[in-house]
Amino acid sequence: MTRALKYLALLGYVVFLAFPLLWLLSTALKTPQEMAALDPTWIPRRPTLANFADAFAEQDLIGAGLRSLVVAVATALITVALALPAAYALARFRGVAGKIAIGWVLVSQVFPVVLIIIPLFMVLRRLELVNTLAGLTIVHVTFVMPFALWMLRGYVRAVPRELEEAAAVDGAGRLRALAAVVAPLLAPGVVATLLFSFISSWNEFMFALVILKDPEVETLPLTLVRFVGPEGVARLGPLAAASLLATVPSLVFFAIIQRRLRSGLMAGAVKG
Amino acid sequence: MTALAERPYGRAGGGSRRGPRSGSGFALLLPALVPVLVFSVGPLVYGILLAFTDARSGRNTETSFVGLENFAELLSDGDFWESFRIGMIWGLSVTVLQFLASLGLALLLNQDLRLRGVARVLAVVPWAMPPVVVGLMWRLVYHPDAGLLNGLFGSDVDWLHDFSLALPAVIVVGVWTGMPQTTVVLLAGLQNVPRELYEAVSVDGAGPWRRFWNVTLPQLRPVIVAITSLDFVWNINQFSLVYVLTQGGPGGRTRLPMLFAYEEAFRYGFFGYAATLGVAITIVVLVVLGLYLWRQAREGD
């Protein structure tokens, strides 16, 4: 009896979580005629890929995708390059300064993003970097940095200090010890942080909306929103098709790091 | 674990003072402090200072210090209060509903049920999706002509443009998107509850309800407090999702504080005023969190 109820509840969750996704997929495969019909159909009667072709024809999806890719890759590389030494220091040398720094990383999450984007916008304007991908990359690095620091610090702390010190005692020297002992152990965490930074940048919308003004420089989330404009039924198919395509990279990367992201969150959260 | 890590090792000093190594420690801390200072402290301090100025978006406008003038204006701004009210309704209801829904799902996922694998995957998907896509997807669901809901219910409602339905409709989307993180964290918390505790109360003949109330909930408490606090902060600062869904409409009925601040700053160019709004929201969040954490700490004793 209770078991049946549990299954019913679980089924309810599955339906709630899945139905918008299925509807998106179904809409992407429908003809405009079928969309306009009064009775909604889950499975398109005549599935078509025309919406995907229309999506590419209507908006510069390839260009926007490439620009998003450039920004996301640059954001991931720069963030991790800056955050890795920082995270190492924060994990290993626990002086007052380190404590304050990591405390700040947590506290900074409370501030709404307007308080970051307005000053950054003003600085970028002075540097003539508004409306450029470089400018957006700088903003994304700022945006991703705290969480990247937090994740990487967790991974560094998971590497036993003894290992490193044993290598150092063996006469390897601190840097050699780092390269030979710590780096391999840290590699999966670094990859996870890279992918996480990539996803954050790829998905990001508000900063892009503020920084990028011209269609020639806009990233994928901005281009997607363009489909909405004067929203005729005919445009819903291409909208759904483009949305699906834009989700693929995030979904794939997320699937790779999912487990690690979880353990990273936990590792960062455990008090030492 | 802590004792092990802190044990004085060979020539490295114990505790936080690292003796001969402290020089290289500082050299290493520098790269730690620089990104934090340049990319986090700097912009935020600048942003907070802007709240006390009349900064405008024009290129050659002069900016001067105006003290608390912006705050006075904010307090007498009816639009702000309306946006603030909507923000609080949104923030609190999404956080509470998210928590209840996620707790239920986490409890189910923690049991030996068949659909578990599917549910587990589905429970994480919204996390990976771009907020813009989530917004667009739900616009398709809510669409008055080609949407799913009107078709299912045989209704003729423009969900996202109806004055009384828009906010609830948007809240449902907020819950949908925010469930993954909360579920994952609560599930991890559930898996960390020691089995012996359950065995002990089972011996006492406690039913599932008593077990949940007397063991699970108290054990989960720190995790619950942490994740609901984070959720509240994230929700009150939400922008992209609602911007894509409604742009704050109809008639400002879903204009969350961040949408209001965005309009002030980047549509009308009032940088200083928008920063003031950001500071005000920060203060509110800190007060709400402070009260919540204080109450939880007191009840926890």
Side-chain angles (χ1 to χ4, degrees):
Chain A
M1 173 56 202
T2 46
R3 201 157 176 85
L5 273 179
K6 279 176 190 166
Y7 271 111
L8 203 65
L10 195 60
L11 195 67
Y13 277 110
V14 169
V15 169
F16 176 62
L17 289 167
F19 89 88
L21 299 168
L22 291 177
W23 188 247
L24 180 68
L25 186 65
S26 157
T27 308
L29 300 174
K30 274 183 197 167
T31 59
Q33 290 79 0
E34 189 168 355
M35 243 175 280
L38 278 177
D39 291 323
T41 44
W42 277 104
I43 299 164
R45 274 184 227 107
R46 276 203 232 129
T48 169
L49 290 178
N51 289 322
F52 289 87
D54 289 351
F56 281 100
E58 275 185 41
Q59 302 286 348
D60 181 18
L61 285 183
I62 292 175
L66 284 176
R67 286 188 291 272
S68 274
L69 190 71
V70 167
V71 173
V73 168
T75 300
L77 292 177
I78 296 172
T79 305
V80 170
L82 289 172
L84 189 56
Y88 180 80
L90 289 175
R92 284 291 186 253
F93 301 93
R94 292 184 216 165
V96 181
K99 282 209 178 94
I100 293 175
I102 201 69
W104 170 266
V105 166
L106 279 181
V107 170
S108 69
Q109 297 304 298
V110 174
F111 295 94
V113 282
V114 255
L115 282 182
I116 300 179
I117 188 60
I118 296 174
L120 280 179
F121 180 82
M122 293 172 78
V123 171
L124 291 178
R125 195 175 53 183
R126 206 164 301 159
L127 299 172
E128 306 276 337
L129 283 174
V130 171
N131 217 3
T132 65
L133 296 183
L136 185 63
T137 306
I138 293 175
V139 178
H140 280 179
V141 169
T142 312
F143 165 63
V144 181
M145 183 66 75
F147 197 73
L149 273 173
W150 184 253
M151 269 178 90
L152 284 171
R153 174 173 166 271
Y155 296 128
V156 174
R157 289 176 75 166
V159 177
R161 193 195 281 261
E162 289 80 2
L163 268 179
E164 198 181 316
E165 283 174 354
V169 170
D170 285 348
R174 182 142 226 151
L175 280 179
R176 285 271 309 280
L178 276 178
V181 179
V182 181
L185 288 171
L186 220 50
V190 170
V191 171
T193 313
L194 277 170
L195 294 183
F196 175 81
S197 307
F198 179 94
I199 297 173
S200 302
S201 169
W202 178 270
N203 289 355
E204 201 284 324
F205 172 69
M206 184 194 188
F207 297 136
L209 182 69
V210 169
I211 301 288
L212 305 176
K213 298 290 170 206
D214 296 329
E216 300 86 61
V217 289
E218 73 191 8
T219 50
L220 203 49
L222 295 176
T223 307
L224 286 180
V225 171
R226 278 181 177 276
F227 278 99
V228 175
E231 198 176 348
V233 172
R235 298 173 62 86
L236 295 180
L239 167 71
S243 299
L244 276 177
L245 291 178
T247 309
V248 171
S250 311
L251 220 50
V252 170
F253 281 180
F254 202 88
I256 299 173
I257 63 166
Q258 204 234 105
R259 188 153 295 167
R260 194 153 278 286
L261 187 66
R262 210 180 314 171
S263 63
L265 275 170
M266 296 303 146
V270 174
K271 287 249 168 74
Chain B
M1 191 58 212
T2 311
L4 256 180
E6 292 297 330
R7 192 192 300 159
Y9 240 83
R11 55 219 171 85
S16 61
R17 297 184 69 218
R18 297 262 139 219
R21 286 257 163 229
S22 67
S24 74
F26 185 74
L28 261 165
L29 216 76
L30 207 62
L33 295 181
V34 169
V36 174
L37 284 174
V38 174
F39 287 103
S40 183
V41 179
L44 271 173
V45 169
Y46 191 1
I48 292 168
L49 287 177
L50 281 173
F52 302 93
T53 70
D54 61 355
R56 307 272 319 255
S57 77
R59 254 166 197 281
N60 297 316
T61 50
E62 295 233 331
T63 298
S64 52
F65 186 73
V66 295
L68 293 172
E69 218 170 81
N70 287 336
F71 287 90
E73 198 182 322
L74 196 68
L75 291 179
S76 59
D77 183 343
D79 285 344
F80 164 70
W81 285 110
E82 181 58 13
S83 169
F84 176 71
R85 190 182 69 85
I86 290 165
M88 288 306 272
I89 294 176
W90 153 273
L92 291 173
S93 51
V94 173
T95 305
V96 170
L97 292 172
Q98 223 168 32
F99 165 65
L100 293 175
S102 302
L103 182 62
L105 181 56
L107 285 169
L108 288 169
L109 289 179
N110 199 29
Q111 306 205 354
D112 197 19
L113 296 174
R114 228 146 235 236
L115 274 170
R116 204 171 58 164
V118 184
R120 219 178 250 260
V121 172
L122 278 173
V124 183
V125 169
W127 195 353
M129 290 176 76
V132 168
V133 171
V134 174
L136 294 174
M137 179 177 75
W138 279 87
R139 281 179 77 129
L140 294 176
V141 171
Y142 285 133
H143 198 279
D145 303 322
L148 178 63
L149 287 190
N150 279 347
L152 278 183
F153 300 147
S155 53
D156 187 20
V157 180
D158 196 348
W159 301 88
L160 293 173
H161 293 102
D162 185 282
F163 273 62
S164 50
L165 288 176
L167 186 57
V170 170
I171 286 173
V172 170
V173 185
V175 173
W176 189 88
T177 351
M179 268 179 66
Q181 289 98 318
T182 317
T183 306
V184 165
V185 170
L186 288 175
L187 185 58
L190 281 175
Q191 285 163 349
N192 283 336
V193 178
R195 284 190 165 273
E196 302 84 63
L197 287 177
Y198 287 115
E199 282 156 15
V201 288
S202 289
V203 171
D204 291 348
W209 183 246
R210 285 252 324 266
R211 271 203 306 256
F212 173 73
W213 206 250
N214 292 338
V215 179
T216 313
L217 221 47
Q219 287 288 316
L220 267 188
R221 193 186 198 103
V223 179
I224 292 174
V225 171
I227 191 65
T228 45
S229 303
L230 271 174
D231 279 340
F232 180 69
V233 172
W234 286 330
N235 288 327
I236 204 94
N237 291 331
Q238 175 62 256
F239 174 83
S240 308
L241 188 66
V242 178
Y243 182 88
V244 173
L245 278 168
T246 62
Q247 295 213 301
R253 289 304 156 97
T254 58
R255 195 198 281 144
L256 303 186
M258 285 314 112
L259 276 90
F260 187 70
Y262 168 80
E263 284 177 10
E264 288 296 327
F266 297 103
R267 188 167 298 165
Y268 306 120
F270 297 117
F271 285 169
Y273 192 59
T276 309
L277 213 144
V279 171
I281 293 299
T282 310
I283 294 170
V284 171
V285 168
L286 288 176
V287 168
V288 171
L289 281 188
L291 283 173
Y292 176 59
L293 295 177
W294 176 70
R295 253 199 69 185
Q296 290 301 321
R298 247 185 26 164
E299 277 178 22
D301 283 343

